[in-house]
């Protein structure tokens, strides 16, 4: 697909149905370029055109509208966490038709890959019922993922190194496979359908087991020339801060990610706290010192967002992730630290929170499969 | 000018002369789109096409090449510093034909504006000798500059606030005026003609009286949704660090900019040190404690570049600015701190230094005028 066709397609995904004139206005393409981009997609049935039946008849001839025919193709999106796998069957409009959750019994590739394969087989069988082919599989996984090569370079939570996941999953399922970092995948979904729709510059920050960040600049995701981008988790905010697993001190992740919060809550209370939910309970119950642990976490997140905004100046920063459960405790700390850290008018950046369940992350994985499908010439 | 035409034009500026096929390959435009982009520019005389006379005749018909006819238009670029004004007369290829330096006797707008006007008049007279019209004036100035509005919002070194510079200079000179932040302007020149040629993602970091940073992502400069971007000077690296004029502690600028270095050298030596050159002399002479001041500055710069690279993952970072004079003292500290701060493969980013004299900054100002001229429909 040409860049113009891809732009027209994603514009229709996010904003459709639209008139051709509106497509041209939003993509800044000429009427001829819009026609040229739309024609082959229409011939393949991915786009359809019809009358706008909701337009009032009094204004004359009703306008023709173009939209994506979601039912023309299906995709499977999978998000792998340390504990479970979430899979969705999504259509070409990235609408979720079905979703599945499976608990993992182990984290090594030998334990995870058969679960993925079985889930895909199950969803392929379901897809038969729709009478539409599944055109691709997207897998989203945390850590350093080389999308172009389809390799998980290093996933700390799973303890995977150099796993050629796209090749393995492709062989097992017979589908074209796209493997991407999970936060980047969620950023694609937010850009197409969420809080990033219509924005050319925004950032998604996720807090939870780790600290993640996806970036869109000039309307496109930032991947990093060497595979690293949006790595705000390892900004070292305080040379006197706690030691991070990366070797530096005072990284955002060493202060604000779940394991760091657990460690600090255990240290301050002397109690055996098992997980983030228990730590949060203690904070809500007013256990001495625990609220301060969360305040420091909020401060680190707010400061890191300030750094990000000083460097990139996005229109909006979306905060999400399973760590949002603690948000009512830390909202003010995040806001205050962001305000102090943002330079001048950078503080006008819109910082918002959005709870995004893991099915939304799996939908992001499906979105990366749709991206690959569009890029493959279909 | 359409986005495609602008892309073709800047590609020819950076890489020309090129065959039409090569223009298509580099811009990823179809042959028809290249033809469509080139035609009006050729009709206006800004592009010319001719035989490649250096091609060996044995290969058959010599290839036609397209290039920018630099002599078709002239532009004036001005860089304003706290002490002097540097002006260049540049052609459409942004080649410098003439340059002028004038010392300033005051920094207030009433002292600076007449100097700018007189310099422009002098260069307009010179331009008459070339028999070509001057099509625009670019003014580059440090601080918070709103290019779209043509207003200097706040320039700390000049102590200007809300000066409608484009309007004033336009009225005084009769030229279309583009006003931009000086580091952003230099970034345009580096992107078109310098260490950023052919890169889609790079950063320029300038050290000296202040710490500046210009960014190119996906092939385009980053301006920031609210006018702030590349603001690495106010990343607060150390909560225990020296107080910055922005109100935070441990900002890069409070450690590594010339005034901070001067303050620290005075404090450690007890001597009245007047300027950066004197401080540097003391360091080279082995005055106790001075080398350490520079080491801390280098460390702050390296760490800030690490933060930038972790967030954006550019292909290259170029370090420049008048502070480069101290580079032989701090190169290792910058490199070490960058290596520690960069996460994983982000450390593969190419970090290089380039001495860029102020005429190069003025050339950047001329480049912004060429950008505006191209965007205006010519």
């Amino acid at each position: 697909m040409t860049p113009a066709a891809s732009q027209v397609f994603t514009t229709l995904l996010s904003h459709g149905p639209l008139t051709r004139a509106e497509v041209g206005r939003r993509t800044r393409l000429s009427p001829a370029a819009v026609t040229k981009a739309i024609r082959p997609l229409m011939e393949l049935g991915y786009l359809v055109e019809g009358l706008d039946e909701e337009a009032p008849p009094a204004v004359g001839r009703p306008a023709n509208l173009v939209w994506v025919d979601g039912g023309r193709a299906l995709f499977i999106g999978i998000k792998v966490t340390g504990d479970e796998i979430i899979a969705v069957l999504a259509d070409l409009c990235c609408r979720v038709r079905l979703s599945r959750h499976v608990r993992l019994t182990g984290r090594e590739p030998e334990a995870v890959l058969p679960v993925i394969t079985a889930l895909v087989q199950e969803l392929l069988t379901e897809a038969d019922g729709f009478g539409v082919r599944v055109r691709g599989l997207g897998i989203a996984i945390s850590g350093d993922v080389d999308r172009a090569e389809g390799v998980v370079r290093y996933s700390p939570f799973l303890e995977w190194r150099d796993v050629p996941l796209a090749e393995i999953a492709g062989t097992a399922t017979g589908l074209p496979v796209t493997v991407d970092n999970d936060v980047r995948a969620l950023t694609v979904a937010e850009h197409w359908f969420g809080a990033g729709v219509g924005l050319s510059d925004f950032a998604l920050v996720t807090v939870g087991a780790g600290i993640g960040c996806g970036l869109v600049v000039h309307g496109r995701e930032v991947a990093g020339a060497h595979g690293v981008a949006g790595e705000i988790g390892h900004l070292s905010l305080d040379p006197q801060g706690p030691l991070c697993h990366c070797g530096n001190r005072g990284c955002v992740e060493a202060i604000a990610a779940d394991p760091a919060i657990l460690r600090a809550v255990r240290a301050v209370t002397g109690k055996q706290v098992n997980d983030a939910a228990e730590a949060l309970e203690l904070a809500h119950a007013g256990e001495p010192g625990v609220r301060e642990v969360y305040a420091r976490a909020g401060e680190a997140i707010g400061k890191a967002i300030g750094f990000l905004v000083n460097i990139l100046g996005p229109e909006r920063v979306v905060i999400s992730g399973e760590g949002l459960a603690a948000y009512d405790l830390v909202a003010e700390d995040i806001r205050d630290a962001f305000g102090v850290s943002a330079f001048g008018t950078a503080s006008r950046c819109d910082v918002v929170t959005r709870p995004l369940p893991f099915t939304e992350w799996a939908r992001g994985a499906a979105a990366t499969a749709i991206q690959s499908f569009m890029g493959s010439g279909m």
Side-chain angles (χ1 to χ4, degrees), chain A residues 11-371:
Chain A
T11 300
L12 286 167
L13 265 185
S14 297
H15 303 282
L18 297 174
T19 61
R20 286 169 181 250
E22 185 62 19
V23 170
R25 201 184 60 77
R26 288 181 182 265
T27 56
R28 297 190 195 175
L29 291 170
S30 68
V34 170
T35 299
K36 198 177 151 196
I38 285 178
R39 191 183 300 127
L41 292 169
M42 215 166 263
E43 282 166 6
L44 290 165
Y46 300 127
L47 296 183
V48 284
E49 188 161 26
L51 288 184
D52 180 3
E53 288 169 3
E54 290 175 17
V59 296
R61 198 165 64 98
N64 263 334
L65 294 176
V66 184
W67 63 89
V68 177
D69 184 1
R72 273 293 276 151
L74 290 170
F75 299 85
I76 294 173
I78 284 183
K79 150 85 171 161
V80 182
T81 77
D83 307 313
E84 59 175 347
I85 290 182
I86 302 94
V88 299
L89 185 67
D91 67 17
L92 185 58
C93 286
C94 214
R95 282 182 298 237
V96 174
R97 301 291 188 96
L98 285 171
S99 68
R100 295 280 182 274
H101 291 231
V102 179
R103 301 290 304 174
L104 285 171
T105 52
R107 293 182 178 186
E108 59 281 13
E110 296 70 26
V112 175
L113 289 167
V115 179
I116 291 179
T117 309
L119 258 178
V120 170
Q121 291 307 340
E122 188 185 334
L123 290 175
L124 283 173
T125 308
E126 295 281 358
D128 282 344
F130 293 106
V132 182
R133 264 182 68 187
V134 172
R135 297 293 191 149
L137 164 63
I139 306 179
I141 205 158
S142 75
D144 179 1
V145 179
D146 185 334
R147 174 168 170 166
E149 298 291 324
V151 173
V152 179
R153 297 271 175 231
Y154 177 47
S155 179
F157 299 115
L158 297 168
E159 290 173 37
W160 288 14
R161 277 189 193 276
D162 295 317
V163 177
L165 185 55
E167 195 190 323
I168 300 172
T171 306
T173 63
L175 292 172
V177 180
T178 306
V179 179
D180 209 339
N181 167 275
D182 57 349
V183 180
R184 273 205 301 267
L186 184 61
T187 305
V188 175
E190 279 295 279
H191 190 202
W192 285 1
F193 313 109
V197 167
L199 300 184
S200 65
D201 300 272
F202 83 99
L204 170 68
V205 171
T206 60
V207 296
I211 306 290
C213 172
L215 302 172
V216 169
V217 177
H218 298 324
R220 285 167 52 201
E221 292 94 43
V222 177
H226 303 284
V228 171
E231 192 45 85
I232 66 166
H234 295 283
L235 301 182
S236 152
L237 300 180
D238 182 358
Q240 258 75 54
L243 193 66
C244 181
H245 62 83
C246 77
N248 285 330
R249 286 196 169 272
C251 291
V252 183
E253 210 158 281
I255 300 169
D258 285 346
I261 289 176
L262 275 185
R263 257 195 313 277
V265 169
R266 284 181 197 135
V268 80
T269 61
K271 293 190 177 171
Q272 182 45 44
V273 186
N274 290 308
D275 57 24
E278 284 184 31
L280 193 55
E281 261 174 49
L282 289 177
H284 282 299
E287 180 84 13
V290 177
R291 171 71 185 75
E292 288 70 19
V293 170
Y294 280 94
R296 280 193 293 277
E299 196 194 340
I301 293 164
K303 190 169 177 182
I305 292 175
F307 280 23
L308 171 70
V309 169
N310 286 347
I311 288 176
L312 266 180
E315 295 165 78
R316 179 175 291 164
V317 175
V318 179
I319 309 176
S320 191
E322 62 290 13
L324 263 201
Y327 192 76
D328 54 334
L329 282 178
V330 298
E332 208 172 314
D333 304 289
I334 293 180
R335 210 169 28 244
D336 288 353
F338 168 71
V340 168
S341 169
F343 184 73
T345 50
S347 63
R348 289 186 203 154
C349 174
D350 182 29
V351 179
V352 300
T353 56
R354 291 241 304 160
L356 294 165
F358 279 135
T359 47
E360 203 60 28
W361 295 61
R363 190 187 182 208
T368 65
I370 295 176
Q371 277 186 327

